[in-house]
Amino acid sequence: QVQVMESGGGLVQAGESLRLSCTVSGSTFTITTMGWYRQAPGKQRELVGSISRDGTTQYSDGVKGRFIVSRSNFERTGYLQMNSLKSEDTGVYSCYVRGYVGGIRYSEDWGQGTQVTVSS
């Protein structure tokens, strides 16, 4: 069974930084893609960024140049480094992982989310 858990959310001032972590358990699960979505109050969920197994990253336009997605394959952990935070970055950030259980069965799993609040 694959479990995904985020940590690192909190309350910060505009302009400050915050790093979120995403830890994945499940020894037979081979992770291909890790990524982050966020959902602000009253808005639709949006993709923030993702990283493939070979390190290729993609970001939404609103966070390019400010956020960095990374991962440690050995530690089975993903990170979202958020710099120069703005009030519009406020929301619940959720980590997702895609991969194969036992190298065969495709699986996509999500964490429960962590709240990030940026005060101006």
Side-chain angles (χ1 to χ4, degrees):
Q1 184 177 357
V2 180
Q3 292 185 324
V4 181
M5 182 174 293
E6 305 97 337
S7 62
L11 171 64
V12 296
Q13 300 279 341
E16 293 183 341
S17 298
L18 201 61
R19 189 175 83 156
L20 306 182
S21 298
C22 173
T23 302
V24 182
S25 64
S27 60
T28 64
F29 184 58
T30 301
I31 303 168
T32 55
T33 303
M34 303 182 77
W36 297 86
Y37 274 79
R38 69 183 178 188
Q39 187 163 22
K43 294 187 177 180
Q44 286 191 330
R45 188 178 64 180
E46 63 170 341
L47 177 66
V48 175
S50 65
I51 182 167
S52 64
R53 189 168 179 81
D54 66 2
T56 301
T57 56
Q58 61 175 4
Y59 299 94
S60 67
D61 289 342
V63 305
K64 279 181 182 176
R66 298 189 298 123
F67 289 14
I68 301 171
V69 179
S70 62
R71 62 189 282 177
S72 167
N73 290 329
F74 177 75
E75 295 176 344
R76 302 171 66 78
T77 301
Y79 303 96
L80 179 64
Q81 176 68 43
M82 303 183 291
N83 302 317
S84 302
L85 282 161
K86 305 175 181 179
S87 57
E88 52 262 45
D89 294 319
T90 294
V92 176
Y93 285 69
S94 299
C95 173
Y96 73 91
V97 294
R98 295 172 182 154
Y100 293 86
V101 179
I104 299 173
R105 180 173 63 84
Y106 176 79
S107 180
E108 179 177 298
D109 299 274
W110 290 77
Q112 293 198 347
T114 185
Q115 176 70 43
V116 173
T117 303
V118 184
S119 63
S120 56

